[in-house]
Amino acid sequence: MKSIKYYLIALLLILTGCANQKKEISFDPVTQNKFLLGTVVTITLYDNPEEEIFDEIFNELEKIEKEMTINNAITSEVIEINNHAGIEGVKISKNTFDVINTGLNYSKLANGAFDITVGPLVKLWEIGFTDARVPSHEEISKALELINYEDVELNEEQLTVKLTKPGMMIDLGGIAKGYAADTAIKILKEHGNQHAIINLGGNVYAYGDKPQDQPWKIGIQNPFLPRGEYLGIASVKNKAIVTSGTYERFFEQDGVTYHHILDPKTGYPVSNNIVSVTIIADNSMVADALSTAAFALGIESGLALIESLDQVEALYITNDNQIYPSSGFMQSFELTDDTFTIIDSH
Ligand code: ADP
Ligand code: MG
């Protein structure tokens, strides 16, 4: 009974990429934050969690960062792969191999609008870093020649990855946080922990293991308002809710705003009327890849892709306050801000 009650009362407001989660819950959740994988990671546990669980999760996420980042001066498995581009394959851990493999599958599924070999472009723009700038056309066309997920060779038996052209770079920024969230949930399950909210800068996982539990209420960010202001509520349990938005990372130059989801065809930030895409799926890695992919594909092709997949829903928000849900999204979503209009395209 108690668990039902606190789920009903719980209105857990998720702040994409922000440390302070607001919540109204009838008992004390325990929250810890840490800056990892380029974002604030917030872990909220219930059921009187042991301190060790937090430590174990944060340690594991740190390990993932050390394997998969390309942003630190220190090395990583992905940096090693990139440094050997055009030379030879590099043996890596099973974890990194699986994320790259999944990343390539979704690159293919998205027809290259999502492409984990986008690294040379990401490095050129440096969006989200202090040295972000608009590259020259020449720089961009050079980088574009290096981007093609088909030029990655995997050897599953030996766990090696080879980039076939010198200068190629894998960037797992569009998928690694999702993998990290799944890993956190795996650890919680191993500990028999039954309720948690994991938030890695907008990659949320709403975890509840008891059959009688009610869904969590997860706020969906209003992309035009400060973090923590929502346009609606998703009611979900054991689901990943992942949002990719132009407001997450961007910079301005000469009055133009440049955001961090890049078009592997043009070399510039994806230019359409979308401000954010939210994906709901069972698996956070899949949701993460798809949020970036759906953004890059645009509403029509993106929704077509989402509809072709089982157990995956999407919600697009445009710069003129329109909302385009996939066919099943509204089953778990309630719009609370009437300045937005839902467009039923089904
Ligand atoms: P966030 O990292 O803000 O949660 P996303 O999950 O949408 O946002 O991932 C964006 C990141 O993915 C970028 O910062 C970059 O590292 C990488 N990226 C950018 N454009 C693409 C693309 N077209 N395909 C794959 N990855 C991309
Ligand atoms: Mg993503």
Side-chain angles (χ1 to χ4, degrees):
M1 188 59 207
K2 183 179 160 230
S3 71
I4 293 177
K5 194 171 152 209
Y6 70 63
Y7 270 86
L8 285 175
I9 295 169
L11 181 61
L12 201 100
L13 304 175
I14 296 305
L15 307 186
T16 49
C18 192
N20 52 333
Q21 292 185 349
K22 279 192 231 161
K23 39 191 123 42
E24 293 164 22
I25 271 175
S26 63
F27 72 110
D28 282 340
V30 187
T31 293
Q32 289 193 16
N33 300 301
K34 205 162 183 178
F35 192 84
L36 281 169
L37 292 153
T39 195
V40 178
V41 176
T42 303
I43 296 173
T44 304
L45 303 183
Y46 301 82
D47 318 319
N48 298 315
E50 300 150 33
E51 181 68 26
E52 290 89 74
I53 302 184
F54 286 104
D55 295 344
E56 196 179 327
I57 293 175
F58 284 128
N59 287 341
E60 199 57 35
L61 299 191
E62 242 167 74
K63 204 178 124 204
I64 292 171
E65 180 170 31
K66 283 187 183 143
E67 288 167 346
M68 302 185 196
T69 186
I70 58 165
N71 292 328
N72 293 339
I74 54 157
T75 190
S76 74
E77 293 185 328
V78 176
I79 291 175
E80 282 301 302
I81 294 169
N82 293 347
N83 286 345
H84 289 83
I87 304 168
E88 60 186 356
V90 174
K91 187 172 165 55
I92 53 172
S93 64
K94 178 93 170 65
N95 290 346
T96 309
F97 189 91
D98 288 346
V99 176
I100 291 175
N101 195 12
T102 304
L104 291 173
N105 289 338
Y106 282 87
S107 300
K108 193 172 178 189
L109 205 63
N111 217 348
F114 175 79
D115 189 327
I116 60 163
T117 66
V118 73
L121 264 184
V122 174
K123 283 290 167 201
L124 207 51
W125 284 88
E126 291 282 17
I127 297 170
F129 296 88
T130 45
D131 38 3
R133 64 181 181 99
V134 181
S136 70
H137 289 292
E138 265 171 291
E139 287 174 306
I140 285 183
S141 49
K142 266 191 164 170
L144 286 178
E145 284 170 23
L146 298 170
I147 299 170
N148 190 349
Y149 62 91
E150 289 177 327
D151 294 333
V152 183
E153 289 175 7
L154 298 187
N155 185 322
E156 199 157 358
E157 268 138 50
Q158 297 182 3
L159 294 179
T160 59
V161 176
K162 182 180 175 187
L163 303 177
T164 59
K165 291 184 187 168
M168 281 181 76
M169 276 188 221
I170 288 178
D171 171 10
L172 299 178
I175 183 170
K177 287 196 290 277
Y179 172 75
D182 289 333
T183 304
I185 298 302
K186 199 173 130 218
I187 293 170
L188 291 174
K189 285 183 179 164
E190 282 164 11
H191 281 273
N193 186 291
Q194 288 167 315
H195 305 103
I197 299 284
I198 308 288
N199 186 358
L200 291 91
N203 284 47
V204 177
Y205 200 101
Y207 168 60
D209 218 24
K210 291 186 176 168
Q212 75 273 26
D213 287 343
Q214 298 298 304
W216 293 95
K217 307 280 186 193
I218 305 293
I220 305 293
Q221 176 70 35
N222 180 329
F224 308 112
L225 295 179
R227 292 185 197 279
E229 301 281 347
Y230 305 106
L231 56 70
I233 304 284
S235 301
V236 288
K237 193 175 94 171
N238 291 328
K239 295 281 182 193
I241 308 102
V242 177
T243 301
S244 282
T246 53
Y247 55 87
E248 286 181 29
R249 256 179 267 179
F250 60 87
F251 74 103
E252 255 182 59
Q253 187 173 309
D254 303 326
V256 182
T257 304
Y258 300 89
H259 67 81
H260 71 314
I261 299 172
L262 302 171
D263 184 335
K265 301 280 181 298
T266 66
Y268 287 82
V270 172
S271 171
N272 52 30
N273 64 343
I274 300 165
V275 284
S276 77
V277 181
T278 298
I279 302 286
I280 296 183
D282 295 336
N283 176 289
S284 183
M285 172 162 59
V286 167
D288 195 4
L290 285 174
S291 72
T292 314
F295 192 106
L297 282 168
I299 296 176
E300 204 177 324
S301 310
L303 282 179
L305 171 62
I306 298 300
E307 297 295 348
S308 75
L309 302 171
D310 270 350
Q311 311 279 346
V312 180
E313 299 298 338
L315 187 82
Y316 280 86
I317 300 169
T318 66
N319 57 14
D320 55 353
N321 289 39
Q322 297 195 325
I323 293 183
Y324 291 79
S326 63
S327 56
F329 200 98
M330 296 309 291
Q331 280 166 22
S332 53
F333 179 72
E334 185 198 345
L335 183 66
T336 52
D337 183 332
D338 63 12
T339 62
F340 291 85
T341 309
I342 296 170
I343 311 293
D344 186 357
S345 49
H346 308 287

